[in-house]
Amino acid sequence: MTHRVLLLHGIWNARAWVGPLAWRLRARGFQVSAFGYPSVFGGPDVAVPSLIERLRGRGRVSLVGHSLGGLVALEALRQEPGLDVPRVVCLGSPLCGSETARTLAGHGWSAALGRSGGLLLHGLPEWHGRAEVGLVAGSVPHGLGALMGALHGDSDGTVALAETRLPGLADHCVVPVSHSGLVLSPEVAVLTAAFLRDGRFGAGAAQRAA
């Protein structure tokens, strides 16, 4: 059976950003497309209805979202729980809200977040949806949040590890990459493929949530 997958980029990015991950998933037999949306000027008010329309009546397809893309994916499923989406992989998504976003807003730079600010600031409630959700977090602290001193404890430089641990996840693992590196890493692609096929990241996952 061919597994159909739709990739979602994060804030300040476009569909091309997820190209390396798309290539690696295609090499593992997945049928992959990318979903583009205006992350700053449109935000979830535009992205979520557009994603729902893209998915409605199109058959079974799993989702993979980097950063904000993971939040958009889960919010779409929260609003439209009947969509035929069996699994979602979030890559470095601040599902519990982003301290980096709060720091930006606190310094008067909320315009940089645009209309995605609310979702990034507050995150999502505990997951109770039908889709199995896995999250791959990074542990190399190279990124905007680290530069601003916004993060405390382990992080990928933009998102704190604690911000990725939303209750209700089916699986969670940590790999030694930065926030941007989550899209570029061959190891992350292998883990993503494993979860899309089996609903678990597999024995090779670097670290697991307790």
Side-chain angles (χ1 to χ4, degrees), residues 43-92:
D45 289 344
V46 172
V48 169
S50 180
L51 178 59
I52 290 171
E53 184 61 28
R54 172 80 176 261
L55 295 171
R56 187 183 286 134
R58 302 294 180 89
R60 176 162 291 201
V61 57
S62 291
L63 304 177
V64 178
H66 178 237
S67 197
L68 174 63
L71 288 158
V72 169
L74 294 188
E75 179 61 15
L77 297 184
R78 192 183 68 82
Q79 292 187 21
E80 191 79 8
L83 292 170
D84 193 3
V85 176
R87 292 182 179 128
V88 181
V89 178
C90 300
L91 305 179

Side-chain angles (χ1 to χ4, degrees), residues 64-139:
V64 178
H66 178 237
S67 197
L68 174 63
L71 288 158
V72 169
L74 294 188
E75 179 61 15
L77 297 184
R78 192 183 68 82
Q79 292 187 21
E80 191 79 8
L83 292 170
D84 193 3
V85 176
R87 292 182 179 128
V88 181
V89 178
C90 300
L91 305 179
S93 299
L95 299 179
C96 302
S98 167
E99 188 60 37
T100 296
R102 288 189 284 272
T103 300
L104 283 169
H107 283 81
W109 298 332
S110 56
L113 304 173
R115 295 185 176 180
S116 293
L119 189 56
L120 287 168
L121 288 170
H122 303 297
L124 296 170
E126 180 174 351
W127 179 248
H128 294 291
R130 294 191 310 172
E132 295 177 308
V133 181
L135 191 139
V136 183
S139 61

